[in-house]
Amino acid sequence: MSGAPMRTGAPAETLLAGEQAADGRPAGGPYAPPRPTGPRRPPRRTSRLMLPLALALAAAVPLITAAHDARPTPFGDRLVRHTASGKGEPRLRIEGAAVHAYDPATGRTRWTHTRDGRRPLALLPAPGHAVTVWDDGLVSDTLRDGSAVRWHRAIPGGARWLRAAGGKGVLRALDPQARMVAVVTPQRITAYRSVDGDLRWVLPARRGCAFAPARGVRHQGVWVLAQPCARGADGAAEPAWTQQVVAVDDLGRIAPDRRPMGNALPTEDAESAAAR
């Protein structure tokens, strides 16, 4: 018997675009069974890899933490405690590129403070803390027991002058406890609150004049600082000597009409207001 070979199975259907057969298959293309909709189990190989990966991550956590702790500090500080703190506050002194703290009874070094590639130029010991000026124009405050460096501040435009002139007279305590500290450069006097490094006031030098940091005298809680002025280019006489000195205290320049903002911490202001 001649002719086309016979095919077995379901009879062929003719489907138009957009239609579906009774068994759900789309128009055109072979039939594909519907996919399961429930959660799939991960392949066995993936399951075997997850446990070693979790163990590796757990082992890496201490290494990551150690690397974080070993990062250099932003200002390159190296505060090293050599002996346990004894009785009394240590004596402080600049030696070479470090600030050294010595036990007053034994003379042993309690701690040293250095900064990578920097040199201290001026040191102001105070009850409970100490202020240091460095040759890159940075000011730092360190707790006197050597437990922490509390803050760093940059002297505006002072680095080049400091490297050339040194640090004599740069640091001034504005009260007996040095709760307020002034940094004196030829261009300006900048005052900081020592507990947190907050900038409290700035006094620029008079036009044509410059502060002389090494020339100052303290009298009854007031600093009188020299502010020499140059003779004008037109031959004008120098200002009177009274205009070439300035008197400051912890609130700024002393003047009859000044209205200082005060230097108390916000919490102290709130407690004073509540007491009233």
Side-chain angles (χ1 to χ4, degrees):
M1 183 176 177
S2 62
M6 296 184 61
R7 297 181 179 178
T8 60
E13 289 184 274
T14 301
L15 299 175
L16 300 178
E19 293 184 341
Q20 290 185 338
D23 56 8
R25 60 189 174 88
Y31 168 75
R35 296 182 178 180
T37 58
R40 298 180 60 188
R41 293 181 59 187
R44 290 185 177 180
R45 183 177 180 184
T46 303
S47 300
R48 289 196 301 267
L49 291 175
M50 290 178 65
L51 181 58
L53 180 59
L55 294 175
L57 289 175
V61 168
L63 298 177
I64 295 173
T65 303
H68 181 274
D69 293 339
R71 293 183 307 173
T73 57
F75 301 99
D77 291 284
R78 295 291 185 270
L79 185 58
V80 181
R81 302 184 73 173
H82 299 276
T83 60
S85 297
K87 294 182 179 180
E89 291 193 324
R91 298 192 304 268
L92 304 181
R93 188 166 59 192
I94 292 177
E95 293 183 358
V99 175
H100 290 254
Y102 295 100
D103 189 284
T106 65
R108 299 178 61 185
T109 302
R110 286 190 187 175
W111 54 264
T112 55
H113 181 197
T114 61
R115 292 181 56 230
D116 293 341
R118 301 303 177 188
R119 184 168 56 91
L121 298 179
L123 175 65
L124 177 63
H129 65 105
V131 184
T132 307
V133 170
W134 304 81
D135 63 353
D136 60 347
L138 208 66
V139 184
S140 65
D141 186 280
T142 307
L143 291 177
R144 200 151 172 176
D145 62 3
S147 60
V149 180
R150 294 197 293 186
W151 49 263
H152 302 80
R153 295 294 182 269
I155 303 174
R160 181 178 297 180
W161 176 82
L162 281 168
R163 286 192 292 268
K168 185 177 180 180
V170 171
L171 286 174
R172 304 284 182 175
L174 297 177
D175 61 87
Q177 303 297 317
R179 289 184 293 263
M180 286 291 298
V181 178
V183 180
V184 185
T185 62
Q187 293 81 19
R188 62 187 58 85
I189 302 173
T190 311
Y192 302 94
R193 186 168 56 200
S194 61
V195 69
D196 57 1
D198 189 57
L199 175 63
R200 303 308 296 166
W201 52 266
V202 178
L203 177 62
R206 181 177 176 175
R207 184 177 181 181
C209 308
F211 294 114
R215 295 166 57 188
V217 60
R218 186 174 180 85
H219 178 67
Q220 296 183 352
V222 175
W223 275 107
V224 180
L225 302 173
Q227 185 186 217
C229 304
R231 185 182 298 273
D234 56 356
E238 294 181 3
W241 70 268
T242 54
Q243 298 180 5
Q244 298 189 59
V245 295
V246 62
V248 298
D249 60 9
D250 61 324
L251 297 174
R253 183 175 184 177
I254 297 175
D257 56 347
R258 71 173 180 173
R259 295 181 179 180
M261 61 182 177
N263 297 316
L265 292 167
T267 53
E268 295 173 343
D269 288 336
E271 291 174 356
S272 298
R276 291 195 298 268

